[in-house]
Amino acid sequence: FSDPFNGGINVPNVDVFIQGNPELIPEVAKTNVVGAVYRPGWLPGFAISLDRIDLKLRNAITSLGGQALLNLCFEGNQQACNSVIRDGNNNLIRVNNSSFNLDRLHFISYDVEMSYRQPALGGNLSIRAYISYLERLRSEDLNAVPMEDAGEITTPRWRGLLTASYDRGIFQSFVQARYIGASNLNNQLTASDVAFNRVGAAVYLDAQIGARVTDNMEVSLNVQNLLDREPPFSPETESSSPVNQN
């Protein structure tokens, strides 16, 4: 841990206890979903849909992490300070990482799906495309400071999926392309904080072939990441203890 109470000095061997919080109250959500589906008569078998999801959550339950709790305590949040344990010499010895109720969380996303199914070559061909855009994933910490998580590694703004399947008789085949958009390591970091804060976009290809042996049995061969693509470079942050040069 980096202890802001002691000039940011690095403190090793700090215990982190994961525990519950009996003071939690239920989350309350309001969700609005607006959608439309279009199936043109001039192109049988084709359909396109668009959905907008707007979710507002009060008293959102989350676990902030030990370092975040320590930083919030330094900023004057008493609830976070209750989770920071020190010895008689004011040395940091333990952080109790429990769940807390945040003030609110706001989520907005747009989803587009297109599908097409037609007979082909004596069988059936199905094509499906799915695109998702995450406009907002905003939450507030215990000090009611807004944080925007949309566009980070775990929640990229863009995601996509393109699949094509073909079946004929007892045989089936399937191919899928997965797209994960470029994202930041942390939206709160700037160029002065870290040299690399961007993770590139990636596309992975999956494939499967199979056959129905009986009415109750199928045999298939599935390969994830068929082209054996390496993941994009993902930066990590690391702190080390200061070196005594005396």
Side-chain angles (χ1 to χ4, degrees):
F1 284 87
S2 174
D3 190 355
F5 290 90
N6 292 306
I9 187 173
N10 292 315
V11 183
N13 303 322
V14 177
D15 293 328
V16 178
F17 285 6
I18 309 298
Q19 62 183 37
N21 183 359
E23 297 181 359
L24 289 176
I25 58 177
E27 299 173 324
V28 179
K30 180 180 180 181
T31 305
N32 293 314
V33 180
V34 179
V37 179
Y38 177 56
R39 296 185 178 92
W42 50 269
L43 186 58
F46 177 80
I48 181 172
S49 65
L50 170 65
D51 294 288
R52 181 184 187 272
I53 303 172
D54 188 328
L55 183 147
K56 295 179 179 178
L57 185 69
R58 291 188 291 112
N59 305 324
I61 298 175
T62 188
S63 178
L64 298 175
Q67 185 65 58
L69 288 171
L70 187 59
N71 295 342
L72 286 170
C73 177
F74 181 72
E75 295 169 5
N77 187 282
Q78 186 56 47
Q79 190 176 6
C81 289
N82 293 337
S83 299
V84 178
I85 311 300
R86 298 181 181 272
D87 62 17
N89 296 320
N90 201 36
N91 296 314
L92 180 66
I93 59 174
R94 191 175 84 230
V95 177
N96 297 327
N97 186 18
S98 59
S99 297
F100 297 93
N101 287 108
L102 304 185
D103 284 345
R104 58 180 174 266
L105 182 145
H106 192 190
F107 170 92
I108 300 177
S109 74
Y110 297 87
D111 300 330
V112 178
E113 182 175 357
M114 293 173 284
S115 62
Y116 181 68
R117 181 177 175 86
Q118 280 291 313
L121 302 175
N124 294 299
L125 173 66
S126 297
I127 301 175
R128 175 178 176 263
Y130 174 80
I131 302 172
S132 177
Y133 174 71
L134 180 60
E135 177 183 320
R136 178 173 298 173
L137 184 58
R138 185 172 298 167
S139 61
E140 294 186 355
D141 63 21
L142 297 179
N143 283 344
V145 176
M147 296 178 293
E148 180 58 67
D149 294 329
E152 292 189 347
I153 288 180
T154 56
T155 51
R157 291 192 181 274
W158 289 99
R159 287 181 180 270
L161 191 68
L162 178 63
T163 63
S165 60
Y166 178 77
D167 63 86
R168 180 177 180 179
I170 65 172
F171 297 103
Q172 303 170 336
S173 60
F174 172 86
V175 63
Q176 171 179 274
R178 294 176 283 129
Y179 172 79
I180 303 171
S183 56
N184 293 326
L185 171 66
N186 189 321
N187 287 342
Q188 311 303 318
L189 297 178
T190 65
S192 61
D193 300 316
V194 62
F196 301 98
N197 191 35
R198 193 70 173 166
V199 178
V203 178
Y204 301 98
L205 191 66
D206 311 321
Q208 177 177 303
I209 57 174
R212 289 189 295 271
V213 180
T214 68
D215 291 339
N216 301 316
M217 181 184 297
E218 293 184 0
V219 177
S220 62
L221 171 65
N222 183 285
V223 180
Q224 300 285 321
N225 192 13
L226 180 66
L227 303 180
D228 197 25
R229 168 165 183 169
E230 295 290 334
F233 172 73
S234 177
E236 296 289 345
T237 57
E238 180 178 298
S239 61
S240 58
S241 300
V243 177
N244 188 344
Q245 296 180 349
N246 294 332

